[in-house]
Amino acid sequence: MGIVAGLDSSPDFTRIVVCDADTGAVLRQGYAPHPVDGDRPSDVDPQAWLLSLGEAAGGGLLEGVQAIGVSAQQNAVIPLDSQGNTVRPAMVGGDRRTQIAAADLIDALGGREAWAQAVGCVPQAAQPVTKLRWLAKNEPDAALRAAILMQAHDWLVWQLLGRPMRRTTDRGGASGTGYWSAATGGYRPDLVELALGHQAMLPEVIGPAEAAGTTPEGLLISAGTGETMAAAFGLGIGLGDAVVSLGASGSVMAVHPEALVDSSGMITSLADATGMHMPVVTTLNAVRTLRGTAELLGLPDLEGLSDLAMKSTPGSHGLVLLPYLEGERTPNLPHTAGTLAGLRRESMKPEHLARAAFEGMLCGLADALDVLRGRGVDVRRIFLLGAAAELPAVQAAAPALFGAQVVVPQPADYAAIGAARQAAWALGASQGTLDPRNPPAWQGAAAQVLEPGEELAVGQAVRQQYVSVREQTHPGAFRA
């Protein structure tokens, strides 16, 4: 079928991969940082994304490419006037200034359950709907001029196509806005009005294998999607798979055939890039638990903490750490603190505390997995992502604590690869060589596969020890 490209415009850089359209093999790649001042500003001129895109594509990188897919950072919102010009810089990232706006919106619609029923998620500081509320309250003139709303990947696709009258997005990107429902497949314009103060034009949501358009040069541009959805598509996850992402905070997402509406708000009901659904559960404390413990023990890095933890044994000699250092979302305990239980003379050793930190972090993520399993989500294989996934202490404990096969993919540009795979799908569907219902079968991610094996019973005992302490300390935290 030829060659396709995927570009990922992350918060910090643009990365482009050029792939064989049939196999997914990466043929060449480009990279360029965004030309922005300071560390991840909250407001960014979207032209910076175009500049880094142009630089990353330099040197003939896209020569011979027949189709391009676009992945981009989620939660960015770009308000445009009726002529398609930005009325202010794009609002990006997890913006703390919008926390009050999130609380305002939750109250305005009648609470968390009302939002979960309406769009499958409860407003958070980072979401576009919340940023619109902040804009209306703090920059009313700009809010009044905002006639068109776009996200980062929508805007980039539109620019690549030469700013046509038709503006498009995909289900994955739309599902994170807070004003589109994955369950109904439709926008909620009333929620845009609730947030912004008036209606605005929204991009047309097109199907996973549809093309957004073709450039004057004949280059097909696919629908594009958010970074999370693109990375999942690049990894090749499907039914029975979950992804556990280890950042400072943690997230667990899975593929499911239907949208999950969760009145507690613990599950965010997103759509994926294939036509399926992607329920997500987040925890506030993942790698920050490990970093805090390393600092407490006077260790310079997480590798040192992992080495120390490996000198202990499963169960950490009875030490249990509830890792709620920043409060917690799963379970919903926003104002709590962490707990260290099981202190005895024999357990008061650095290696046992180090092991308890790893087990506490992973048990917290296992709780998040159980929220999905409790709603009927099938989890047979878990992809473990993030730099901490490479630590021996994580790999030693995760399969038995999660109760499933754990896959640790080799580092790669999975969001860009997912965008390229989407481009190949749209190209094949447009040529009649691929079924619009089934994406191209690309090579899976190269990965290390870890089985729970004989450690499963021990892991489940450690997990039960954790659950007992959690229930004693925070009774009924997981009950509706």
Side-chain angles (χ1 to χ4, degrees), residues 17 23 49 95 104 168 181 203 217 263 304 306 346 350 354 366 373 401 412:
V17 297
T23 66
W49 307 334
D95 204 334
D104 283 350
T168 62
S181 166
E217 299 77 30
S263 60
S306 174
E346 62 271 19
R373 284 170 165 149
L401 291 177

Side-chain angles (χ1 to χ4, degrees), residues 284-317:
L284 293 181
N285 301 279
V287 176
R288 64 166 41 102
T289 304
L290 304 182
R291 295 203 184 283
T293 307
E295 287 174 16
L296 182 65
L297 293 172
L299 298 169
D301 53 36
L302 297 187
E303 287 74 18
L305 185 71
S306 174
D307 292 344
L308 185 61
M310 294 298 283
K311 294 176 182 175
S312 181
T313 53
S316 311
H317 274 245

Side-chain angles (χ1 to χ4, degrees), residues 314-327:
S316 311
H317 274 245
L319 272 191
V320 174
L321 177 64
L322 301 183
Y324 306 152
L325 308 184
E326 297 280 330

Side-chain angles (χ1 to χ4, degrees), residues 304-440:
L305 185 71
S306 174
D307 292 344
L308 185 61
M310 294 298 283
K311 294 176 182 175
S312 181
T313 53
S316 311
H317 274 245
L319 272 191
V320 174
L321 177 64
L322 301 183
Y324 306 152
L325 308 184
E326 297 280 330
E328 190 46 85
R329 279 190 62 189
T330 308
N332 185 28
L333 298 167
H335 307 300
T336 195
T339 300
L340 185 62
L343 284 169
R344 289 188 172 84
R345 179 66 191 88
E346 62 271 19
S347 65
M348 296 177 73
K349 292 183 178 178
E351 60 266 33
H352 303 323
L353 177 56
R355 178 94 188 192
F358 282 96
E359 291 178 345
M361 175 189 77
L362 293 169
C363 283
L365 289 160
D367 279 348
L369 273 167
D370 282 353
V371 170
L372 295 179
R373 284 170 165 149
R375 291 294 304 275
V377 177
D378 184 24
V379 179
R380 296 188 301 273
R381 181 172 65 159
I382 295 168
F383 287 78
L384 197 57
L385 305 185
E390 303 287 340
L391 296 172
V394 168
Q395 296 190 4
L401 291 177
F402 291 158
Q405 182 188 81
V406 169
V407 177
V408 184
Q410 289 183 3
D413 303 316
Y414 290 112
I417 291 167
R421 189 179 178 204
Q422 186 194 65
W425 193 6
L427 181 65
S430 74
Q431 295 174 340
T433 56
L434 282 178
D435 185 338
R437 294 165 298 180
N438 296 308

Side-chain angles (χ1 to χ4, degrees), residues 208-225:
E210 284 186 68
T214 305
T215 69
E217 299 77 30
L219 190 64
L220 183 143
I221 309 294
S222 63
T225 194

Side-chain angles (χ1 to χ4, degrees), residues 71-72 74 153 170-176 224-235 237 253 270-274 278 280 414-415 418-419:
S71 153
Q74 286 156 243
H153 80 81
D170 88 308
R171 298 168 65 255
S175 67
T225 194
E227 262 187 328
T228 298
M229 297 78 187
F233 196 40
L235 281 165
I237 73 166
M253 64 183 183
L270 300 178
D272 79 348
T274 72
M278 187 180 285
V280 180
Y414 290 112

